[in-house]
Amino acid sequence: MKTEFFVSGFTLIELMIVVAVVAILASVAYPSYQNHITKTHRTDAMANMLELYSFLERRFTEQGNYGDAAARAAVAACW
């Protein structure tokens, strides 16, 4: 009696091609992602510095000097 086996699945070559395509896509996408993250952090830093600037100018307007407000504001901005 002759038995026939039907094997379904992917060949090694097909899997290697898929891995290569994914690697190429990742090599293009990752630097773009890193640039986006850098720009986001830069924007956040600018917003924090503008908030600190506003706080210091308000302090100067109210008190006539900066005093130790810069140190306090810097600590408050970090938390």
Side-chain angles (χ1 to χ4, degrees):
M1 178 187 275
K2 190 175 186 183
T3 58
E4 292 184 27
F5 292 102
F6 180 71
V7 179
S8 65
F10 299 109
T11 65
L12 182 60
I13 297 297
E14 290 172 334
L15 290 175
M16 289 176 66
I17 290 171
V18 169
V19 168
V21 168
V22 169
I24 291 169
L25 289 174
S27 69
V28 171
Y30 187 70
S32 176
Y33 172 74
Q34 287 298 100
N35 288 337
H36 175 71
I37 294 299
T38 301
K39 287 179 184 177
T40 302
H41 288 175
R42 188 176 299 138
T43 303
D44 289 345
M46 289 294 291
N48 288 338
M49 288 191 310
L50 286 172
E51 182 181 5
L52 179 60
Y53 169 78
S54 174
F55 174 76
L56 291 173
E57 286 302 313
R58 186 171 49 248
R59 162 75 184 206
F60 187 80
T61 302
E62 292 172 355
Q63 303 293 326
N65 62 14
Y66 292 109
D68 62 347
R72 290 182 186 179
V75 171
C78 293
W79 299 101

